[in-house]
Amino acid sequence: MELFAPPLAALIVVIVGLFFLFSWFRSVSQSTVAVITVFGKYRRVMREGLNVKLPWENVFQRLSLQNRALQLEFQAITEDQANVRFATMVLYAVASAEEDTIKNAVFSFASPQEFQLALQRTTDGSIRQFDATTKQADILGMRAEIVDHTKKNLDAVVSSWGYVVRDIQITDMTFDKEIMD
């Protein structure tokens, strides 16, 4: 029985060593980056492909660099007090793959959901601001102006968060039934 102890111990050491060695490697998907922290402090960004991650490093968040879409529905009131229901789509992405931009995009909000909430509230606030100065009869013909006004407002705000708004589309605009009759 003593003859088998050293080879068994060596096998266990090799298996544990291989486990730790392979646990140092992380794969990051195409068009994605991983933000690495050490004890809660930003350390670096891992790019696409196979990367080395030391045991004391933590993958804080993975961030997609691809375009993302946010569907919104809300209502606004025109200058002459008519209710208008909007359905819009906002197409956005991380502004660039540079390290500072990625840090901004990851650390500007506590979670991606909070960023989406801020984007949603900023978008509907901008459209409501425009509608409050426009009469109901003029609203339907002003889709392009509404989009331009909203995109200009969003560009100024979201760039400081590390994002860019690529497109805004108003997919539907309806008025209250009483107005339509």
Side-chain angles (χ1 to χ4, degrees):
M1 200 65 163
E2 292 177 21
L3 293 176
F4 295 107
L8 182 60
L11 181 63
I12 291 173
V13 168
V14 167
I15 289 173
V16 169
L18 286 174
F19 172 76
F20 281 116
L21 181 66
F22 285 117
S23 70
W24 287 9
F25 293 101
R26 290 287 186 265
S27 177
V28 178
S29 302
Q30 186 72 28
S31 298
T32 304
V33 293
V35 174
I36 302 297
T37 59
V38 175
F39 305 117
K41 184 177 179 185
Y42 171 81
R43 173 74 173 178
R44 64 189 173 98
V45 172
M46 287 194 318
R47 305 286 175 178
E48 298 99 336
L50 190 61
N51 294 272
V52 175
K53 185 191 86 57
L54 301 174
W56 52 86
E57 292 181 322
N58 180 38
V59 176
F60 177 75
Q61 185 177 336
R62 291 179 185 264
L63 182 66
S64 173
L65 301 176
Q66 295 176 318
N67 289 332
R68 289 178 265 176
L70 181 63
Q71 188 74 28
L72 310 172
E73 291 186 14
F74 56 91
Q75 72 180 33
I77 299 174
T78 63
E79 183 180 10
D80 50 1
Q81 302 302 309
N83 281 328
V84 186
R85 285 184 191 76
F86 285 93
T88 60
M89 190 271 305
V90 179
L91 188 67
Y92 67 96
V94 174
S96 73
E98 295 174 9
E99 187 173 358
D100 288 338
T101 306
I102 291 168
K103 281 172 49 177
N104 251 358
V106 169
F107 294 114
S108 290
F109 292 92
S111 70
Q113 294 78 17
E114 289 183 19
F115 165 73
Q116 286 185 339
L117 180 62
L119 181 61
Q120 178 179 356
R121 296 296 181 243
T122 305
T123 303
D124 63 32
S126 180
I127 292 176
R128 285 180 179 150
Q129 176 189 20
F130 185 91
D131 284 1
T133 62
T134 309
K135 294 196 181 292
Q136 176 260 330
D138 300 330
I139 273 293
L140 284 174
M142 300 183 80
R143 278 185 195 232
E145 289 87 352
I146 295 170
V147 167
D148 288 342
H149 170 81
T150 304
K151 181 143 176 28
K152 189 170 101 178
N153 287 347
L154 283 177
D155 283 343
V157 174
V158 302
S159 64
S160 67
W161 299 337
Y163 287 89
V164 63
V165 174
R166 303 232 189 265
D167 190 24
I168 300 171
Q169 295 179 9
I170 297 175
T171 55
D172 193 22
M173 232 188 310
T174 58
F175 294 96
D176 282 344
K177 190 173 185 174
E178 295 83 25
I179 304 263
M180 298 303 287
D181 291 339

